[in-house]
Amino acid sequence: MTISRCHVKAGSEKEARALLEKEMLPNDGKKPSEVIEGLVGFGLMKAKQDPTMYGVVTVWESEAAFDKMASNPHAKDGGGLVEKLQKLCDGDIKGEGFYIESL
């Protein structure tokens, strides 16, 4: 699983949400794994205590599936998504990988 988070600049919240929804939420009926091999799903989140904090979570079939995707040269910029989002944010977009140890 990966979790990336960022603080959206005041006044840019609607634009950032529209960008994330356009890029991340499926609207063609396809499953995430039909678009990106090994991707189980993802979620778009907004923090309760800080309305400028957004998060994106991705869940992968396996670490090997994530590593395969990450070896793609375009993976780090999300096909340009990271650069577009960065312009709407204060500070860096920070991401980190996690293992799900139990549910």
Side-chain angles (χ1 to χ4, degrees):
M1 166 188 308
T2 65
I3 300 175
S4 298
R5 51 190 242 156
C6 61
H7 282 280
V8 176
K9 293 176 187 174
S12 296
E13 296 88 356
K14 286 183 182 180
E15 188 177 355
R17 184 171 183 87
L19 173 66
L20 288 168
E21 287 178 349
K22 177 180 179 253
E23 298 287 334
M24 298 295 297
L25 298 177
N27 61 5
D28 58 5
K30 291 181 182 176
K31 296 178 181 176
S33 61
E34 294 174 317
V35 178
I36 301 173
E37 184 181 348
L39 180 62
V40 174
F42 53 84
L44 173 61
M45 304 172 296
K46 186 174 182 179
K48 285 183 173 185
Q49 294 183 359
D50 181 353
T52 69
M53 176 65 75
Y54 284 83
V56 176
V57 175
T58 60
V59 179
W60 298 89
E61 289 176 357
S62 65
E63 186 172 4
F66 174 81
D67 290 343
K68 182 176 179 181
M69 178 281 307
S71 69
N72 178 328
H74 299 289
K76 289 195 185 288
D77 73 359
L81 173 62
V82 174
E83 183 180 338
K84 292 174 191 174
L85 184 60
Q86 185 66 61
K87 291 176 183 176
L88 303 172
C89 293
D90 285 325
D92 292 330
I93 298 171
K94 297 182 181 185
E96 188 167 344
F98 292 83
Y99 292 104
I100 300 173
E101 293 191 357
S102 66
L103 295 175

